[in-house]
């Protein structure tokens, strides 16, 4: 990979490190990242335009560098990559208020439509159908997954039902704007990921908020206080509050690890800390329901509230 990067970008780097699912190397005393690209050409065009718009407004976003042929995308070994040059202080953290602030900077418009994501119920249903097929074919020797899988499928089905009920019974209002969001936000929420334009999508504001809160529950911060702050800082409609709760129900924290295990990027043991917290998370979901209910009457999930 080092020779390919040197060729396509006219560099003279001496070492490339495989880091996570990407490659990184030192250039001018800071790291650059050669990142696999999992977006379509149409999506990439919108991403580039969004990056330009953010910078024109004086907002930070990592740079995507062109190769020596003036192209954004570089194909190596039949896989597409982009070269990302991050801003300084890549481990600067962004909290719930920072997330809310960035969300509001860009609203969906026709020239950003390729990045619109809002079919949660359909996407989640397709995912769990695929996971159920996959576990039947590939997971017979994975005891930790087999002993926990049905519980998290059940949670996902609860979330799907909750989304469907919301769409059927509630209507969005003017506050429910489709705004700048991310494919996934984790806790801690570092600048390296948060300002990475390749992660940008457009969705309801509560998407990033819910994902950050869920991740903060499992990886160290006070999830309930993050929820309280998000509710205090926004005037959410009942429609958004319903969907916020639906996303809290959906166990992507389990499925993300499941996919890494199936792809042999992680061992099964990485699931144990998550599984051991399932009763605590049920308690969190119960408390989250009561916190959200202070702002609007949302639908109950009876088994969680007993």
């Amino acid at each position: 990979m080092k020779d390919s990067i040197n060729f396509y970008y006219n560099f003279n780097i001496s070492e490339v490190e495989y880091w996570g699912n990407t490659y990184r190397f030192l250039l001018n005393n800071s790291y650059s990242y050669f990142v696999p690209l999992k977006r379509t050409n149409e999506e990439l065009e919108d991403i580039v335009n969004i990056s330009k718009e953010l910078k024109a407004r004086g907002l930070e976003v990592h740079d995507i560098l062109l190769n020596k042929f003036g192209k954004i995308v570089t194909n190596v070994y039949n896989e597409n990559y982009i070269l990302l040059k991050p801003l300084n202080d890549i481990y600067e953290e962004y909290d719930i208020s920072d997330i809310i602030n960035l969300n509001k900077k860009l609203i969906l418009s026709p020239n950003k439509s390729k990045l619109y994501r809002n079919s949660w119920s359909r996407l989640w249903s397709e995912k769990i159908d695929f996971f159920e097929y996959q576990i039947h074919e590939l997971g017979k020797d994975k005891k930790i997954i087999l002993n926990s899988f049905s519980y998290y499928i059940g949670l996902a089905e609860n979330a799907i039902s909750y989304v469907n009920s919301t769409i059927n019974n509630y209507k969005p209002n003017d506050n429910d704007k489709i705004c700048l969001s991310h494919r996934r936000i984790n806790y801690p929420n570092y600048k390296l990921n948060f300002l990475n334009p390749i992660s940008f999508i457009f969705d309801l504001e509560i998407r990033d908020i819910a994902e950050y809160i869920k991740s903060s529950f499992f990886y160290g911060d006070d999830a309930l206080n993050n929820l309280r702050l998000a509710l205090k800082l926004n005037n959410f409609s009942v429609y958004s509050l319903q969907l916020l709760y639906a996303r809290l129900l959906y166990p992507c924290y389990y499925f993300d690890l499941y996919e890494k295990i199936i792809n042999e990027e992680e061992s099964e043991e990485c699931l144990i800390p998550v599984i051991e917290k399932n009763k605590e998370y049920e308690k969190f979901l119960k408390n989250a329901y009561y916190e959200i209910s202070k702002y609007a009457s949302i639908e109950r999930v009876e088994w969680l509230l007993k």
Side-chain angles (χ1 to χ4, degrees):
M1 188 58 76
K2 178 189 71 174
D3 292 340
S4 296
I5 293 171
N6 282 334
F7 170 75
Y8 280 104
Y9 294 91
N10 285 330
F11 292 156
N12 188 28
I13 56 174
S14 58
E15 185 177 351
V16 172
E17 174 187 6
Y18 190 62
W19 190 73
N21 66 340
T22 189
Y23 296 91
R24 71 175 185 177
F25 54 89
L26 280 171
L27 184 68
N28 299 327
N29 297 318
S30 63
Y31 280 110
S32 292
Y33 296 81
F34 200 48
V35 182
L37 182 64
K38 306 297 183 184
R39 310 299 287 263
T40 66
N41 290 335
E42 291 81 7
E43 289 175 327
L44 186 58
E45 183 179 352
D46 284 358
I47 285 169
V48 170
N49 290 334
I50 287 164
S51 297
K52 290 177 180 176
E53 187 173 344
L54 289 170
K55 289 179 181 180
R57 296 184 182 198
L59 300 168
E60 292 187 317
V61 61
H62 301 324
D63 289 321
I64 300 172
L65 302 185
L66 302 179
N67 64 30
K68 69 179 182 180
F69 302 107
K71 304 292 186 181
I72 293 173
V73 179
T74 299
N75 188 274
V76 180
Y77 306 129
N78 294 318
E79 184 163 6
N80 288 332
Y81 292 85
I82 64 158
L83 184 59
L84 200 65
K85 181 66 176 175
L87 300 166
N88 294 329
D89 303 321
I90 60 172
Y91 292 115
E92 179 184 349
E93 288 190 42
Y94 290 77
D95 63 15
I96 198 76
S97 58
D98 297 318
I99 293 168
I100 291 168
N101 185 50
L102 182 67
N103 282 157
K104 296 178 184 298
K105 298 300 184 184
L106 287 183
I107 305 301
L108 183 69
S109 60
N111 67 322
K112 308 180 184 83
S113 60
K114 302 296 189 304
L115 301 177
Y116 181 37
R117 304 286 188 275
N118 202 20
S119 302
W120 303 352
S121 176
R122 176 179 60 81
L123 292 171
W124 293 348
S125 294
E126 289 173 356
K127 256 196 167 184
I128 64 172
D129 286 347
F130 177 68
F131 291 159
E132 287 177 321
Y133 163 80
Q134 195 177 47
I135 200 71
H136 178 74
E137 296 296 320
L138 302 175
K140 295 176 182 177
D141 61 337
K142 294 180 168 49
K143 292 184 179 179
I144 295 173
I145 290 176
L146 289 174
N147 289 334
S148 58
F149 190 71
S150 60
Y151 172 83
Y152 293 99
I153 290 293
L155 265 183
E157 289 173 344
N158 273 203
I160 291 165
S161 295
Y162 211 92
V163 169
N164 289 336
S165 178
T166 301
I167 292 169
N168 291 332
N169 296 306
Y170 300 88
K171 298 296 180 186
N173 65 27
D174 290 342
N175 288 331
D176 299 310
K177 293 182 175 65
I178 305 298
C179 60
L180 186 64
S181 306
H182 297 73
R183 297 173 92 179
R184 180 74 79 240
I185 277 192
N186 296 310
Y187 178 90
N189 182 30
Y190 293 129
K191 178 185 282 190
L192 178 62
N193 299 314
F194 189 56
L195 300 184
N196 178 0
I198 300 303
S199 74
F200 290 163
I201 59 168
F202 281 83
D203 205 335
L204 284 166
E205 182 178 4
I206 53 91
R207 178 193 180 109
D208 279 3
I209 291 168
E211 297 309 316
Y212 180 80
I213 289 169
K214 278 190 289 189
S215 187
S216 73
F217 177 89
F218 287 99
Y219 300 105
D221 203 3
D222 189 337
L224 202 59
N225 277 338
N226 282 324
L227 175 61
R228 290 182 182 122
L229 181 57
L231 294 169
K232 182 179 178 181
L233 292 173
N234 285 274
N235 182 25
F236 290 126
S237 70
V238 181
Y239 178 83
S240 277
L241 291 173
Q242 285 266 141
L243 292 177
L244 171 61
Y245 198 65
R247 286 204 81 94
L248 293 177
L249 282 168
Y250 185 73
C252 61
Y253 49 86
Y254 177 92
F255 293 138
D256 286 351
L257 294 175
Y258 162 85
E259 288 185 284
K260 289 180 179 180
I261 294 164
I262 293 296
N263 293 330
E264 299 183 344
E265 297 170 12
E266 293 280 0
S267 69
E268 264 197 295
E269 283 67 29
C270 71
L271 281 174
I272 293 173
V274 167
I275 295 167
E276 288 178 341
K277 282 191 165 185
N278 62 9
K279 293 302 179 186
E280 289 179 59
Y281 194 69
E282 287 177 14
K283 182 178 179 182
F284 164 75
L285 287 171
K286 180 177 181 178
N287 291 332
Y289 169 83
Y290 289 119
E291 287 297 327
I292 295 170
S293 296
K294 294 175 183 177
Y295 294 82
S297 179
I298 63 169
E299 295 178 13
R300 298 168 61 88
V301 179
E302 293 297 339
W303 69 271
L304 281 170
L305 299 179
K306 289 179 180 179

